[in-house]
Amino acid sequence: MVEDVLNKFGERIVEKLRSDIRNKPLRRRDGKAYVASASGKLERELNYRVDANSIKVYANDYIYFLEYGRKPTQATSGSGQVRKAIRQWIDDKGIVPRGISKDSLAYLIARSIHRNGTLLYPQGSDLISGCITDEMLSDFKNDLFLAVTDIVGQSLKTLKQAA
């Protein structure tokens, strides 16, 4: 019973996060806004699991940067992970640069992120932290209360029958 309540809540969280990834405007420090979804991969790979009376929500690691932004980094000879991710984003968004190649554009954007951070930094967003609403929590508490009440009631019935 409690597991059912946790599964229902996990489904609601994942459903709300997927909707927010597709639709919620994330305000950048330049005043513009965008939605997080580019390829749909983030929302497709979003999931939850109920373990030992807890809910764990799983997402691609870059969801962290959609919540907190990415701060500037020191110039290093890194792995090129940011540039590769930006190059994929360019393809996913269907961006066709004028006058330079997609690889050059990816390099320039990655360099800017390393120098200046992302446009969500430092204010971040509430993509994750704003996902669980007061209404969702209230519904969860009510469902949990009913499940626990049911368990206690069944236990008392069993005790009466045993006596």
Side-chain angles (χ1 to χ4, degrees):
M1 290 184 194
V2 171
E3 188 174 324
D4 293 339
V5 172
L6 292 173
N7 275 306
K8 179 181 172 185
F9 192 59
E11 288 171 13
R12 283 189 73 187
I13 292 169
V14 167
E15 184 180 301
K16 176 78 165 77
L17 263 174
R18 284 183 177 145
S19 174
D20 287 354
I21 289 166
R22 279 190 308 274
N23 303 308
K24 186 176 189 172
L26 304 179
R27 301 269 173 239
R28 305 182 323 186
R29 68 173 176 244
D30 65 359
K32 296 178 183 175
Y34 68 98
V35 294
S37 184
S39 66
K41 183 178 179 183
L42 179 61
E43 59 197 91
R44 274 193 313 274
E45 295 185 8
L46 192 62
N47 211 340
Y48 78 95
R49 185 169 58 221
V50 172
D51 286 330
N53 295 323
S54 68
I55 303 169
K56 295 179 182 177
V57 177
Y58 297 92
N60 297 9
D61 57 355
Y62 59 87
I63 198 169
Y64 175 90
F65 299 115
L66 293 171
E67 177 77 8
Y68 299 105
R70 182 184 176 114
K71 68 181 182 179
T73 55
Q74 298 293 324
T76 63
S77 57
S79 66
Q81 182 178 346
V82 173
R83 182 186 46 76
K84 289 174 192 168
I86 296 298
R87 178 60 169 87
Q88 184 63 53
W89 174 82
I90 289 169
D91 288 340
D92 292 343
K93 284 290 197 181
I95 296 171
V96 180
R98 293 184 216 162
I100 61 172
S101 69
K102 290 181 178 183
D103 288 336
S104 295
L105 179 60
Y107 170 80
L108 293 172
I109 293 171
R111 184 177 69 182
S112 176
I113 289 171
H114 283 299
R115 287 181 179 172
N116 307 309
T118 62
L119 291 173
L120 284 174
Y121 182 80
Q123 84 280 358
S125 75
D126 66 346
L127 181 67
I128 299 169
S129 58
C131 176
I132 299 176
T133 64
D134 289 340
E135 179 187 354
M136 285 174 72
L137 278 177
S138 179
D139 289 348
F140 174 69
K141 288 176 189 176
N142 289 337
D143 290 349
L144 193 58
F145 176 77
L146 291 174
V148 169
T149 302
D150 224 21
I151 291 168
V152 169
Q154 288 177 3
S155 296
L156 291 173
K157 210 183 265 186
T158 303
L159 287 173
K160 279 184 178 179
Q161 290 172 353

